[in-house]
Amino acid sequence: MDALCKLFWCAALLTLPLAAQDTPPTPTPASNGAVAAVAKPAMSEAGKKALAGARDAAQKLRGLRGPERAPALEAAASAYDKVVADFGGEPAVSAFAAITAADLWRQQGSLPLAEKAYLRAAELDGPRFGQRGLMGAGDMLRRQKRIDEAMATYAKAIALEPGSSRAQEMRLWQARLLQGAGKLDEAIVAFQAALECADPGSQVVESCNFLALAWIQKGDFDAADRALDHAEQAVTAAADEDPQTVERLKKAIEGMSAKKALQRARDAQNRVGEDAAKLVEGDGAGGK
């Protein structure tokens, strides 16, 4: 990972409250900065049987639509919650049940219950579910408008595995939350830091798009142009890669919402200028 990326996120962690810096067990990093693959732990026969029973409840969701689906989701999530409670001393079973329950509660719309289950999964089995669980909890907090808690939870999750695609997604969410809170200058810094951390390709394009939109909101159209140019250069640099990859990147560039937003902003600015000029001309004509 880029040195600037590491420096920014280390500094961000230092600004968090002490309670927000309590981190679940950290996965063992691989030599390239990613997290080494974690072997799936063995399960007891009783644990396997309990999970199979919860899985049967979840399979009843198949084909359900409308009002029938919500209670079925609740029943399935509750079945997995019971496995968590019954097998808390066997993380191989309880952590898997917790992460599955969290996903089901999220689909059912019970955000606080999903948040709790995601955190429980991260606590029970950090190596397998640490970052995924914390990210899920952060998403639930964000959707509940608990912005400060979401920011802190995302920071903890990023620190577990800074080079992952999840970490990059959370960096962008942190910046977007700052932008939504009206902290535009801080958001721009965060978007720029996310760009520094982005892997070449689609992550760069996405980061440039958000950065350009923030600059447009601030009214600095030249800076927005530079961000868009940076994305174009990323595609040019990928010219030697797989042709399908390059084609996908070109389509991503064409679909950047910041391009149209910048054009609209400049058109509006030009219309204001033209209207002002007409007013001046009208005042001059009327004064003769």
Side-chain angles (χ1 to χ4, degrees), residues 12 35 48 76 140 165 205 226 245:
V35 170
K48 290 178 183 178
M140 298 305 98
S165 59
V205 174
R226 289 194 292 274
T245 300

Side-chain angles (χ1 to χ4, degrees), residues 35-245:
V35 170
V38 179
K40 185 177 179 180
M43 295 182 182
S44 67
E45 290 304 315
K48 290 178 183 178
K49 184 177 179 180
L51 286 173
R55 194 178 303 116
D56 288 342
Q59 286 177 344
K60 294 178 181 177
L61 289 164
R62 291 181 178 177
L64 293 182
R65 296 289 185 274
E68 295 180 331
R69 185 169 174 80
L73 278 167
E74 181 176 352
S78 297
Y80 278 104
D81 276 345
K82 186 176 186 308
V83 176
V84 176
D86 292 347
F87 289 84
E90 191 178 341
V93 175
S94 56
F96 178 81
I99 203 76
T100 307
D103 289 341
L104 290 166
W105 284 125
R106 174 182 54 77
Q107 293 177 54
Q108 198 264 351
S110 297
L111 303 185
L113 291 176
E115 172 202 340
K116 180 181 177 181
Y118 279 126
L119 290 174
R120 184 66 174 144
E123 176 189 359
L124 286 166
D125 194 342
R128 283 199 300 162
F129 300 120
Q131 186 173 73
R132 179 181 167 187
L134 285 173
M135 180 178 178
D139 289 343
M140 298 305 98
L141 289 163
R142 168 174 56 79
R143 290 171 61 180
Q144 294 173 75
K145 309 300 182 185
R146 293 157 61 188
I147 303 306
D148 290 342
E149 293 173 84
M151 291 283 287
T153 303
Y154 281 147
K156 289 164 64 177
I158 290 168
L160 286 180
E161 192 180 345
S164 70
S165 59
R166 287 193 186 107
Q168 182 63 9
E169 184 179 347
M170 287 183 282
R171 290 184 189 102
L172 290 174
W173 268 118
Q174 286 182 316
R176 292 172 71 181
L177 288 173
L178 289 169
Q179 186 177 12
K183 300 176 181 180
L184 189 54
D185 289 337
E186 293 178 47
I188 288 172
V189 171
F191 280 129
Q192 183 63 52
L195 176 57
E196 296 291 342
C197 297
D199 287 337
S202 59
Q203 286 189 7
V204 168
V205 174
E206 184 179 28
S207 300
C208 285
N209 189 59
F210 280 118
L211 178 60
L213 288 170
W215 279 121
I216 293 167
Q217 183 179 348
K218 189 172 176 64
D220 192 334
F221 300 159
D222 290 338
D225 251 336
R226 289 194 292 274
L228 293 173
D229 286 343
H230 188 84
E232 296 273 5
Q233 291 168 15
V235 173
T236 302
D240 294 335
E241 295 186 14
D242 175 67
Q244 291 184 343
T245 300

